[in-house]
Amino acid sequence: MGYPRIYPTGTTIYDPKRFYNGLTIFPSAKGALLIDMDGNEVQLWAGLSGFPNKILPGGYVLGSTGERDIKQGYQDELDLVQVDWDGNIVWRYDQTEEVTDPGQKPTRMARQHHDFEREGSTTGYYAPGMIPQTEGGNTLILTHENLYNHNITDKRLLDDKFVEVDWSGNTLWQWRASDHFNELGFNETQKNVLFRDPSMVPAGGGMGDWLHINCLSTLGPNRWYDNGDERFNPDNIIWDSRNANILAITSKKTGEIVWRIGPNFDELSLGQIIGQHHFHMIPKGLPGEGNLLMFDNGGWAGYGAVNGVSEHGTQSERRDYSRILETDPTTLDIKWQYTAEDAGENDNTRFFSPYISAAQRLPNGNTLITEGSDGRIFEVTPQHKTVWEYINPYYEAFEGKTLNMTYRAYRVPYEWVPQVTDPQETEIQQIEPADYHV
């Protein structure tokens, strides 16, 4: 479908009666941006990038001061920092690896990408009783590492590594995805495709972004573990692979993958999941607690047999719409979903972000959705009614295009940010398109 060249930005819909009021943070072209319900900008941490940005109680924000040269690294953040309300750095991590890029002095770098988690909160978003630590505490970080693994391919890989560090930056635990290749469920056709082309990107002279893991978080307390299912130990780590269509849980104790679906979905009632993002367990204390929530992007991803949409077996699965899925991890039954047709639209393509994006469960049972590719953040009720909508008004150049894409947004309660004393909550009624004229 087509989109208009010009459309409103900022908050376009706000129904205070059915909404979970709070403050919303997201990474923008200006920096880490905090807005109230009416879309007013209440604080900007200029130049603080976010992959993602997360806000902590007391008005602290986590993000990065910059990104590695794209010619040498692919989606590598220089560091992970915590800043206070005024932008002062109060904590920094940049010790994953010493990097020497051409023409540059050797430097320590985080190589963080896509996600991280501060101790005290399983997801980084609000849940009753789960308060991320702001002074001390460990941090779980998703990082990159370049290596060769000839069981996968003869090409250099851009591997994903989980690193847990303490407040002083000491490494306490780490896990490499490539060490668990045989646990990932690839069939022989998929292994053959991976060997020939593990999603090569040109950065650094060429490297295979074979999994492209885009989220990680701990499970936290949950009823499955309480009932004796060891796969859901609260310390275990949940993650997904965008390029391979894999969703998994890793045992913190043994390193083994103890729960997995994908890359093949032929016998699952979920249907084919493609290129998903922000896969996590809904924290205890929120509606749907213990269920798995994800943004199932659609678009293009996966390795498989050559077919009508894949000449060489890469990006072998395609779907031209997105959906939000909430599933039971033991039965894989769909407990709730959101698509454009569920919301009353005549065509599922009216909700579609083929990359980035996220979903957050809110205390009132609503879901905050980041439809990232077109900069849309909106809240829906369990009945799929949109009760708040915000369009990112800030554009930036990206790979030759001008985009307002928004990686991931989070909603937090007012008490987490005491510096904001007068947030605005003025109803904004939805405009009927037939009545809207310039």
Side-chain angles (χ1 to χ4, degrees), residues 116-183:
F116 51 81
E117 174 198 309
R118 174 61 56 77
E119 184 178 355
S121 170
T122 61
T123 60
Y125 67 68
Y126 173 76
M130 293 188 182
I131 307 298
Q133 296 189 31
T134 59
E135 296 182 15
N138 298 340
T139 307
L140 185 65
I141 307 172
L142 178 55
T143 70
H144 278 143
E145 181 176 352
N146 292 105
L147 51 77
Y148 285 91
N149 185 321
H150 293 284
N151 291 324
I152 302 172
T153 181
D154 58 356
K155 299 172 178 62
R156 188 171 68 130
L157 291 175
L158 181 67
D159 201 16
D160 293 297
K161 183 170 68 174
F162 306 162
V163 178
E164 184 179 17
V165 301
D166 64 18
W167 187 257
S168 299
N170 301 305
T171 300
L172 306 176
W173 179 86
Q174 62 182 11
W175 183 90
R176 291 179 183 85
S178 60
D179 294 338
H180 301 269
F181 178 60
N182 291 330
E183 300 173 45

Side-chain angles (χ1 to χ4, degrees), residues 98-118:
E98 183 173 85
V99 173
T100 303
D101 288 335
Q104 303 292 324
K105 295 180 180 180
T107 183
R108 301 297 299 185
M109 190 178 296
R111 298 195 71 184
Q112 179 268 328
H113 68 97
H114 283 95
D115 219 343
F116 51 81
E117 174 198 309
R118 174 61 56 77

